[in-house]
Amino acid sequence: MTGEIAGRRSARPVALDRVRQGVTVAAAIAQVVLPATLARSFRRDLRPRRSSQPADATFAVWLPIFAGGLGYAAYQGRPGADRDPVLRAVGWPLAAAFASTGIWAPLVQVRRYWAAQAALAGIAAFSDVARQRMAGLERATAMSAGDKALLAPP
């Protein structure tokens, strides 16, 4: 099997594939570590007085998102995955979404609320680009079980 669609792998990885893998792993870790580290330093007395604040337990919704991101990062970071056309297609947008998630908490911490909103918009936009690319590939290729589990929506 030799073509990207028929064989699911191109002949050789390129340097940017390995860079993509590294950036994705770093961004997936950062999206977990930065908010978790900074969450302890968000002081309630510094929050705006007249705004409603969600309960702390509300943020538990991020646990499956972070777990999925870390799982994807590990999956795409394994040896040989650098040539996978599915991971090539969705890799950069997901890395950017992970980085946007990671930068959100530091932006809120330094009270750059509009920039934090832009980071949230970036998460949505980059994730949607990956979703659209995934949908196109899902129709064009036979996807592996791992690709389906970690990338394809239910």
Side-chain angles (χ1 to χ4, degrees):
M1 292 197 262
T2 54
E4 274 196 25
I5 291 176
R8 294 211 5 98
R9 299 192 188 283
S10 65
R12 291 178 289 156
V14 295
L16 274 179
D17 289 327
R18 292 192 182 103
V19 170
R20 173 188 37 81
Q21 286 180 299
V23 168
T24 300
V25 169
I29 291 170
Q31 79 172 347
V32 174
V33 171
L34 288 174
T37 303
L38 293 173
R40 293 181 224 135
S41 64
F42 283 112
R43 292 180 25 205
R44 290 194 180 274
D45 61 330
L46 294 178
R47 294 180 183 174
R49 278 186 238 149
R50 297 197 187 272
S51 65
S52 60
Q53 300 292 325
D56 291 339
T58 304
F59 295 98
V61 70
W62 286 96
L63 293 175
I65 294 169
F66 290 158
L70 290 171
Y72 166 77
Y75 177 73
Q76 67 83 42
R78 72 194 193 288
D82 52 356
R83 296 180 305 265
D84 189 314
V86 174
L87 300 178
R88 280 180 171 166
V90 301
W92 285 113
L94 288 178
F98 295 163
S100 296
T101 304
I103 198 66
W104 174 83
L107 289 171
V108 170
Q109 180 71 18
V110 296
R111 296 175 160 228
R112 302 284 187 231
Y113 299 120
W114 286 109
Q117 293 301 313
L120 291 174
I123 295 166
F126 292 126
S127 297
D128 189 55
V129 168
R131 183 197 60 76
Q132 289 177 15
R133 289 181 180 183
M134 188 70 207
L137 285 170
E138 202 170 9
R139 289 186 294 272
T141 67
M143 295 175 57
S144 72
D147 288 344
K148 287 181 182 176
L150 288 167
L151 297 169

